[in-house]
Amino acid sequence: MRLFRTIAGVRTQLKPAWKTDQNLALVPTMGALHSGHLSLIEQAVTANDVVVVSIFVNPLQFEPSSDLEQYPRQLEQDCQLCEEVGVDIVFAPTVEELYPHTPSAQGTQTQEEMTRVIPPPAMTSQMCGHSRPGHFEGVATVVTKLLNIIQPTRAYFGQKDAQQLAIVRRLVADLNFPVEICACPIVREASGLAYSSRNQYLSSDEKKQAQGLYQGLQRAKQAFQEENIRTAEKLLLYLQENISGLQLDYTALVDPDTLQPLTSVNKKALLALAAYVGKTRLIDNMILRDRAPIIAIDGPAGAGKSTVTRQVAYQLGLLHLDTGAMYRGLTWLVLNSEIALDDEAGIAELVSQADLQLVLSSDPEIPVKVSVNGKDVTKAIRSSLVTRNVSVISAQKAVRDKLLEQQRQWGEKGGLVAEGRDLGTHVFPNAELKIFLTASVGERARRRQKELVTQGQENIDFEQLQQEIQQRDTYDSARAIAPLRKAPDAIELVTDGLTIEEVIAKIIHLYRDRFPIADSG
Ligand code: PAF
């Protein structure tokens, strides 16, 4: 791992990664790393080739007379932690390096000499913005600078700062940054208290009091899930009643994307609060949503994912999100256009405007219905021409981006099972059940041999089959686009010696363990 204090240094180090199109992750932090940060970093390390952690206590996002001076700084310890979890680069610039045009006051908000980024006031003026004027402009400015300096493929933010996350997402969309914003779940201590660098300020009594934040959220969530309480008025009351004793700053029920207040929960809502525990201001939140569970099945080629996925969907009455059919749909579109298969820009232009519609099913006998730009292509996408070309088309970034967005839209509704290579790490990081389905190289070679024999092939070289499978695994794990990765929270299922039925039964058992009363999710 290398530490850089200058923009010139870090950018020079990143040149090879940019040139070779590697998956480059940025995890922006203000240091004093705790388990919450480490979970962001671990997710970034799992899913990317190069990981940069930035450590910068950003004066622009602290109000005058706040805890800027007191904010914990522990660069050496942070670097050590980063090294341990596999970070490649720590970028820890000084204030002078990042804000050269605010020399006199070291970047505090009184300085007006520099360019600022102003997110939509409707998103910044309420919730935390109310008591922290200027805070989100400071965050937006530093995040913009960091994205420009590092030029990551993905940037990781915690769901704990839900308002910040929504504002960063909007910033990236409005300013067309070519980066994917990855949100990571809140990490909590055993008591339920969300990890925060500011927890260091709490005395042990205050820490006990602070647990009330989570308890209040939990109680409101329980009222939503078990008693079907949906109005903001009642949910906020549950929250407030359960955190009596703390000095509340605000409680809010808002749309998680736009941050606009909701009067009741429809599909998804953000329940958020801030409160003072002694002098320390803490925030916490929970997403309330109706969506049914998702099962994400990843694993290497030849582990039996397709059959297992179809059967699991069928037996649990969940929809089978056939991502392969989606790629086939866009491949059909390209093949039926005038555009050459290697004209990536032309294909990007074509697919970004395409209207791909799916009608999913649970029944393995009823394949997904696919239409492209209003034309039913359910049969056409199974042609050998499409089969021959689907891998070339699905390796193109614009194609994957288009489908990622659509897959996540299906994910918003939930109630599905899907299989792939990076579903648990990337497409559905919040999936309720993640399975990494695998088998030893020898076992997969034996299965393939059996298949080939059934197809009438003789004289199969078993050693060579094993080698091919090994090579394919190495390639799939190293490829830039959708590399094969096991999510840290995935359950690994090694299928050596198990029949397909046994594998399916195991997954259904795992699902039933988590959702004992769910019938169709
Ligand atoms: O969440 C934080 O730690 C900060 O707001 C961020 C995103 C690093 C910007 O300074």
Short mmCIF file of all heavy atoms in Angstrom, two decimals, residues 242-290:
data_model
loop_
_atom_site.label_atom_id
_atom_site.label_comp_id
_atom_site.label_asym_id
_atom_site.label_seq_id
_atom_site.Cartn_x
_atom_site.Cartn_y
_atom_site.Cartn_z
N ASN A 242 -39.95 6.59 21.68
CA ASN A 242 -38.94 5.62 22.09
C ASN A 242 -37.56 6.21 22.29
O ASN A 242 -36.63 5.49 22.62
CB ASN A 242 -38.90 4.46 21.09
CG ASN A 242 -40.05 3.52 21.34
OD1 ASN A 242 -39.96 2.66 22.20
ND2 ASN A 242 -41.14 3.74 20.64
N ILE A 243 -37.42 7.50 22.00
CA ILE A 243 -36.10 8.10 22.28
C ILE A 243 -36.24 9.27 23.24
O ILE A 243 -35.44 10.19 23.21
CB ILE A 243 -35.37 8.52 20.99
CG1 ILE A 243 -36.28 9.33 20.09
CG2 ILE A 243 -34.78 7.37 20.26
CD1 ILE A 243 -35.55 9.87 18.89
N SER A 244 -37.24 9.17 24.09
CA SER A 244 -37.41 10.26 25.06
C SER A 244 -36.14 10.29 25.93
O SER A 244 -35.50 9.28 26.17
CB SER A 244 -38.64 10.00 25.91
OG SER A 244 -38.52 8.73 26.49
N GLY A 245 -35.78 11.44 26.36
CA GLY A 245 -34.55 11.55 27.17
C GLY A 245 -33.41 12.12 26.37
O GLY A 245 -32.47 12.69 26.91
N LEU A 246 -33.46 11.96 25.04
CA LEU A 246 -32.40 12.55 24.21
C LEU A 246 -32.92 13.87 23.65
O LEU A 246 -34.12 14.04 23.45
CB LEU A 246 -32.05 11.62 23.04
CG LEU A 246 -31.50 10.26 23.40
CD1 LEU A 246 -31.19 9.46 22.16
CD2 LEU A 246 -30.24 10.42 24.22
N GLN A 247 -31.99 14.76 23.36
CA GLN A 247 -32.43 16.04 22.81
C GLN A 247 -32.50 15.93 21.28
O GLN A 247 -31.47 15.93 20.59
CB GLN A 247 -31.44 17.13 23.22
CG GLN A 247 -31.98 18.52 22.97
CD GLN A 247 -30.84 19.53 22.94
OE1 GLN A 247 -29.85 19.37 23.65
NE2 GLN A 247 -30.99 20.55 22.10
N LEU A 248 -33.74 15.79 20.79
CA LEU A 248 -33.93 15.58 19.35
C LEU A 248 -33.59 16.81 18.53
O LEU A 248 -33.96 17.92 18.91
CB LEU A 248 -35.39 15.26 19.09
CG LEU A 248 -35.80 13.81 18.97
CD1 LEU A 248 -37.24 13.71 18.54
CD2 LEU A 248 -34.91 13.08 17.97
N ASP A 249 -32.89 16.61 17.42
CA ASP A 249 -32.69 17.73 16.48
C ASP A 249 -33.82 17.68 15.44
O ASP A 249 -34.53 18.64 15.22
CB ASP A 249 -31.31 17.59 15.84
CG ASP A 249 -31.02 18.71 14.86
OD1 ASP A 249 -31.77 19.70 14.87
OD2 ASP A 249 -30.06 18.60 14.08
N TYR A 250 -33.99 16.51 14.82
CA TYR A 250 -35.14 16.35 13.92
C TYR A 250 -35.48 14.86 13.79
O TYR A 250 -34.65 13.98 14.07
CB TYR A 250 -34.85 16.93 12.52
CG TYR A 250 -33.84 16.13 11.72
CD1 TYR A 250 -34.21 14.98 11.02
CD2 TYR A 250 -32.51 16.52 11.67
CE1 TYR A 250 -33.28 14.24 10.30
CE2 TYR A 250 -31.57 15.79 10.96
CZ TYR A 250 -31.97 14.65 10.28
OH TYR A 250 -31.05 13.91 9.58
N THR A 251 -36.72 14.61 13.37
CA THR A 251 -37.09 13.29 12.88
C THR A 251 -37.76 13.55 11.53
O THR A 251 -38.39 14.58 11.35
CB THR A 251 -38.11 12.58 13.80
OG1 THR A 251 -39.23 13.44 13.99
CG2 THR A 251 -37.52 12.20 15.13
N ALA A 252 -37.59 12.62 10.60
CA ALA A 252 -38.16 12.88 9.26
C ALA A 252 -38.51 11.57 8.57
O ALA A 252 -37.82 10.57 8.74
CB ALA A 252 -37.15 13.65 8.42
N LEU A 253 -39.58 11.62 7.78
CA LEU A 253 -39.91 10.52 6.88
C LEU A 253 -39.89 11.12 5.48
O LEU A 253 -40.72 11.99 5.17
CB LEU A 253 -41.29 9.96 7.20
CG LEU A 253 -41.64 8.71 6.39
CD1 LEU A 253 -40.99 7.47 7.01
CD2 LEU A 253 -43.14 8.49 6.31
N VAL A 254 -38.92 10.69 4.67
CA VAL A 254 -38.74 11.33 3.36
C VAL A 254 -38.52 10.29 2.27
O VAL A 254 -38.21 9.13 2.56
CB VAL A 254 -37.52 12.30 3.37
CG1 VAL A 254 -37.70 13.42 4.36
CG2 VAL A 254 -36.21 11.55 3.62
N ASP A 255 -38.64 10.74 1.03
CA ASP A 255 -38.29 9.88 -0.10
C ASP A 255 -36.76 9.73 -0.11
O ASP A 255 -36.05 10.73 -0.08
CB ASP A 255 -38.77 10.58 -1.39
CG ASP A 255 -38.43 9.77 -2.62
OD1 ASP A 255 -37.21 9.55 -2.89
OD2 ASP A 255 -39.35 9.36 -3.31
N PRO A 256 -36.23 8.50 -0.13
CA PRO A 256 -34.78 8.32 -0.01
C PRO A 256 -33.98 8.93 -1.17
O PRO A 256 -32.80 9.20 -1.02
CB PRO A 256 -34.58 6.81 0.02
CG PRO A 256 -35.91 6.21 0.14
CD PRO A 256 -36.95 7.22 -0.20
N ASP A 257 -34.62 9.13 -2.33
CA ASP A 257 -33.87 9.68 -3.47
C ASP A 257 -33.96 11.19 -3.55
O ASP A 257 -32.98 11.87 -3.78
CB ASP A 257 -34.39 9.06 -4.79
CG ASP A 257 -34.27 7.55 -4.76
OD1 ASP A 257 -33.21 7.07 -4.31
OD2 ASP A 257 -35.22 6.86 -5.15
N THR A 258 -35.18 11.71 -3.36
CA THR A 258 -35.35 13.17 -3.51
C THR A 258 -35.26 13.90 -2.18
O THR A 258 -35.15 15.11 -2.14
CB THR A 258 -36.72 13.48 -4.13
OG1 THR A 258 -37.72 13.03 -3.19
CG2 THR A 258 -36.92 12.80 -5.47
N LEU A 259 -35.39 13.17 -1.10
CA LEU A 259 -35.39 13.70 0.28
C LEU A 259 -36.62 14.56 0.58
O LEU A 259 -36.62 15.29 1.57
CB LEU A 259 -34.09 14.48 0.57
CG LEU A 259 -32.79 13.70 0.41
CD1 LEU A 259 -31.60 14.61 0.63
CD2 LEU A 259 -32.73 12.54 1.41
N GLN A 260 -37.63 14.47 -0.27
CA GLN A 260 -38.82 15.28 -0.01
C GLN A 260 -39.71 14.57 1.02
O GLN A 260 -39.83 13.34 1.00
CB GLN A 260 -39.60 15.54 -1.32
CG GLN A 260 -38.81 16.40 -2.30
CD GLN A 260 -38.10 17.57 -1.61
OE1 GLN A 260 -38.74 18.48 -1.12
NE2 GLN A 260 -36.77 17.54 -1.54
N PRO A 261 -40.30 15.36 1.94
CA PRO A 261 -41.10 14.76 3.01
C PRO A 261 -42.27 13.93 2.47
O PRO A 261 -42.86 14.29 1.45
CB PRO A 261 -41.64 15.98 3.77
CG PRO A 261 -40.77 17.11 3.37
CD PRO A 261 -40.23 16.82 2.01
N LEU A 262 -42.55 12.84 3.14
CA LEU A 262 -43.68 11.97 2.76
C LEU A 262 -44.73 12.03 3.85
O LEU A 262 -44.38 12.13 5.04
CB LEU A 262 -43.19 10.52 2.62
CG LEU A 262 -42.16 10.22 1.53
CD1 LEU A 262 -41.67 8.78 1.67
CD2 LEU A 262 -42.76 10.44 0.16
N THR A 263 -45.99 11.92 3.44
CA THR A 263 -47.03 11.88 4.48
C THR A 263 -47.27 10.43 4.89
O THR A 263 -47.74 10.16 5.99
CB THR A 263 -48.35 12.50 3.97
OG1 THR A 263 -48.62 11.93 2.70
CG2 THR A 263 -48.25 14.01 3.85
N SER A 264 -46.93 9.50 3.98
CA SER A 264 -47.02 8.08 4.36
C SER A 264 -46.07 7.27 3.49
O SER A 264 -45.59 7.75 2.46
CB SER A 264 -48.46 7.58 4.20
OG SER A 264 -48.77 7.60 2.84
N VAL A 265 -45.81 6.02 3.91
CA VAL A 265 -44.90 5.16 3.15
C VAL A 265 -45.68 4.50 2.04
O VAL A 265 -46.70 3.85 2.29
CB VAL A 265 -44.30 4.04 4.04
CG1 VAL A 265 -43.23 3.26 3.28
CG2 VAL A 265 -43.76 4.59 5.33
N ASN A 266 -45.21 4.67 0.82
CA ASN A 266 -45.84 3.94 -0.27
C ASN A 266 -44.99 2.70 -0.51
O ASN A 266 -45.23 1.64 0.05
CB ASN A 266 -45.97 4.85 -1.50
CG ASN A 266 -46.61 4.14 -2.66
OD1 ASN A 266 -47.11 3.03 -2.50
ND2 ASN A 266 -46.60 4.74 -3.82
N LYS A 267 -43.93 2.80 -1.33
CA LYS A 267 -43.09 1.63 -1.58
C LYS A 267 -41.84 1.66 -0.69
O LYS A 267 -41.40 0.66 -0.17
CB LYS A 267 -42.63 1.63 -3.04
CG LYS A 267 -43.71 1.25 -4.03
CD LYS A 267 -43.20 0.16 -4.93
CE LYS A 267 -44.19 -0.71 -5.61
NZ LYS A 267 -45.51 -0.80 -5.13
N LYS A 268 -41.27 2.87 -0.57
CA LYS A 268 -39.97 2.97 0.10
C LYS A 268 -39.87 4.33 0.77
O LYS A 268 -40.27 5.34 0.17
CB LYS A 268 -38.89 2.85 -0.99
CG LYS A 268 -37.51 2.61 -0.51
CD LYS A 268 -36.61 2.16 -1.65
CE LYS A 268 -35.97 3.31 -2.36
NZ LYS A 268 -34.87 2.98 -3.24
N ALA A 269 -39.37 4.36 1.98
CA ALA A 269 -39.21 5.66 2.66
C ALA A 269 -37.97 5.62 3.54
O ALA A 269 -37.54 4.55 3.99
CB ALA A 269 -40.44 5.95 3.50
N LEU A 270 -37.43 6.79 3.78
CA LEU A 270 -36.28 6.91 4.68
C LEU A 270 -36.78 7.52 5.98
O LEU A 270 -37.35 8.61 5.98
CB LEU A 270 -35.22 7.82 4.04
CG LEU A 270 -34.05 8.22 4.92
CD1 LEU A 270 -33.12 7.03 5.15
CD2 LEU A 270 -33.27 9.36 4.27
N LEU A 271 -36.58 6.78 7.06
CA LEU A 271 -36.94 7.29 8.38
C LEU A 271 -35.63 7.71 9.03
O LEU A 271 -34.74 6.87 9.23
CB LEU A 271 -37.62 6.15 9.16
CG LEU A 271 -38.18 6.47 10.53
CD1 LEU A 271 -39.27 7.52 10.45
CD2 LEU A 271 -38.74 5.19 11.16
N ALA A 272 -35.49 9.00 9.32
CA ALA A 272 -34.18 9.48 9.77
C ALA A 272 -34.34 10.38 10.98
O ALA A 272 -35.40 10.97 11.20
CB ALA A 272 -33.51 10.25 8.63
N LEU A 273 -33.26 10.46 11.75
CA LEU A 273 -33.28 11.35 12.90
C LEU A 273 -31.88 11.82 13.25
O LEU A 273 -30.89 11.20 12.86
CB LEU A 273 -33.93 10.69 14.11
CG LEU A 273 -33.08 9.76 14.98
CD1 LEU A 273 -33.74 9.51 16.30
CD2 LEU A 273 -32.85 8.45 14.28
N ALA A 274 -31.83 12.93 13.98
CA ALA A 274 -30.57 13.39 14.57
C ALA A 274 -30.91 13.81 15.99
O ALA A 274 -31.99 14.34 16.26
CB ALA A 274 -30.01 14.57 13.79
N ALA A 275 -29.98 13.53 16.90
CA ALA A 275 -30.23 13.90 18.30
C ALA A 275 -28.91 14.22 18.98
O ALA A 275 -27.85 13.73 18.56
CB ALA A 275 -30.93 12.75 19.02
N TYR A 276 -28.99 15.05 19.99
CA TYR A 276 -27.80 15.35 20.78
C TYR A 276 -27.75 14.42 21.97
O TYR A 276 -28.73 14.26 22.70
CB TYR A 276 -27.84 16.80 21.28
CG TYR A 276 -27.57 17.78 20.17
CD1 TYR A 276 -28.61 18.31 19.42
CD2 TYR A 276 -26.27 18.15 19.85
CE1 TYR A 276 -28.37 19.19 18.37
CE2 TYR A 276 -26.01 19.03 18.81
CZ TYR A 276 -27.06 19.54 18.08
OH TYR A 276 -26.80 20.39 17.04
N VAL A 277 -26.58 13.81 22.14
CA VAL A 277 -26.34 13.01 23.33
C VAL A 277 -25.22 13.77 24.04
O VAL A 277 -24.09 13.79 23.56
CB VAL A 277 -25.89 11.58 22.97
CG1 VAL A 277 -25.73 10.74 24.23
CG2 VAL A 277 -26.88 10.94 22.02
N GLY A 278 -25.56 14.43 25.11
CA GLY A 278 -24.61 15.39 25.68
C GLY A 278 -24.39 16.48 24.63
O GLY A 278 -25.34 17.02 24.07
N LYS A 279 -23.10 16.69 24.31
CA LYS A 279 -22.82 17.73 23.30
C LYS A 279 -22.67 17.13 21.91
O LYS A 279 -22.45 17.85 20.93
CB LYS A 279 -21.52 18.44 23.68
CG LYS A 279 -21.68 19.38 24.84
CD LYS A 279 -20.51 20.35 24.89
CE LYS A 279 -20.77 21.41 25.92
NZ LYS A 279 -19.74 21.53 26.92
N THR A 280 -22.72 15.81 21.82
CA THR A 280 -22.43 15.15 20.55
C THR A 280 -23.70 14.95 19.74
O THR A 280 -24.69 14.41 20.26
CB THR A 280 -21.77 13.77 20.81
OG1 THR A 280 -20.69 13.99 21.71
CG2 THR A 280 -21.25 13.15 19.54
N ARG A 281 -23.63 15.37 18.48
CA ARG A 281 -24.81 15.22 17.62
C ARG A 281 -24.65 13.92 16.84
O ARG A 281 -23.65 13.73 16.14
CB ARG A 281 -24.89 16.42 16.68
CG ARG A 281 -26.13 16.46 15.82
CD ARG A 281 -26.16 17.77 15.05
NE ARG A 281 -27.26 17.80 14.10
CZ ARG A 281 -27.24 17.17 12.94
NH1 ARG A 281 -26.20 16.45 12.58
NH2 ARG A 281 -28.27 17.25 12.12
N LEU A 282 -25.63 13.03 16.95
CA LEU A 282 -25.57 11.74 16.25
C LEU A 282 -26.73 11.63 15.27
O LEU A 282 -27.81 12.17 15.52
CB LEU A 282 -25.63 10.58 17.24
CG LEU A 282 -24.49 10.48 18.26
CD1 LEU A 282 -24.76 9.32 19.22
CD2 LEU A 282 -23.14 10.27 17.57
N ILE A 283 -26.49 10.91 14.17
CA ILE A 283 -27.57 10.68 13.22
C ILE A 283 -27.75 9.18 13.03
O ILE A 283 -26.82 8.39 13.28
CB ILE A 283 -27.30 11.34 11.84
CG1 ILE A 283 -25.97 10.83 11.26
CG2 ILE A 283 -27.32 12.84 11.93
CD1 ILE A 283 -25.72 11.28 9.83
N ASP A 284 -28.93 8.81 12.59
CA ASP A 284 -29.18 7.40 12.29
C ASP A 284 -30.42 7.34 11.38
O ASP A 284 -31.15 8.33 11.26
CB ASP A 284 -29.42 6.60 13.58
CG ASP A 284 -29.14 5.11 13.39
OD1 ASP A 284 -29.03 4.68 12.22
OD2 ASP A 284 -29.04 4.39 14.39
N ASN A 285 -30.64 6.22 10.75
CA ASN A 285 -31.81 6.10 9.88
C ASN A 285 -32.10 4.65 9.56
O ASN A 285 -31.27 3.77 9.82
CB ASN A 285 -31.59 6.88 8.57
CG ASN A 285 -30.52 6.23 7.69
OD1 ASN A 285 -30.77 5.23 7.05
ND2 ASN A 285 -29.32 6.81 7.71
N MET A 286 -33.26 4.44 8.98
CA MET A 286 -33.62 3.11 8.46
C MET A 286 -34.46 3.30 7.21
O MET A 286 -35.20 4.28 7.13
CB MET A 286 -34.48 2.37 9.48
CG MET A 286 -33.70 1.44 10.32
SD MET A 286 -34.75 0.54 11.43
CE MET A 286 -33.52 0.05 12.63
N ILE A 287 -34.32 2.38 6.30
CA ILE A 287 -35.18 2.41 5.12
C ILE A 287 -36.38 1.51 5.41
O ILE A 287 -36.21 0.37 5.87
CB ILE A 287 -34.44 1.88 3.86
CG1 ILE A 287 -33.24 2.76 3.51
CG2 ILE A 287 -35.38 1.71 2.68
CD1 ILE A 287 -33.56 4.00 2.71
N LEU A 288 -37.57 2.03 5.18
CA LEU A 288 -38.77 1.20 5.30
C LEU A 288 -39.21 0.87 3.88
O LEU A 288 -39.39 1.78 3.07
CB LEU A 288 -39.89 1.98 6.00
CG LEU A 288 -39.55 2.56 7.37
CD1 LEU A 288 -40.77 3.28 7.95
CD2 LEU A 288 -39.09 1.46 8.33
N ARG A 289 -39.32 -0.42 3.59
CA ARG A 289 -39.76 -0.74 2.22
C ARG A 289 -40.63 -1.98 2.20
O ARG A 289 -40.54 -2.83 3.06
CB ARG A 289 -38.58 -0.86 1.27
CG ARG A 289 -37.67 -2.04 1.54
CD ARG A 289 -36.67 -2.20 0.41
NE ARG A 289 -35.30 -2.15 0.91
CZ ARG A 289 -34.33 -1.45 0.36
NH1 ARG A 289 -34.55 -0.73 -0.70
NH2 ARG A 289 -33.12 -1.47 0.86
N ASP A 290 -41.42 -1.99 1.13
CA ASP A 290 -42.35 -3.10 0.98
C ASP A 290 -41.78 -4.25 0.20
O ASP A 290 -42.38 -5.29 0.11
CB ASP A 290 -43.58 -2.60 0.20
CG ASP A 290 -44.61 -2.06 1.15
OD1 ASP A 290 -44.57 -2.45 2.31
OD2 ASP A 290 -45.44 -1.25 0.72
#
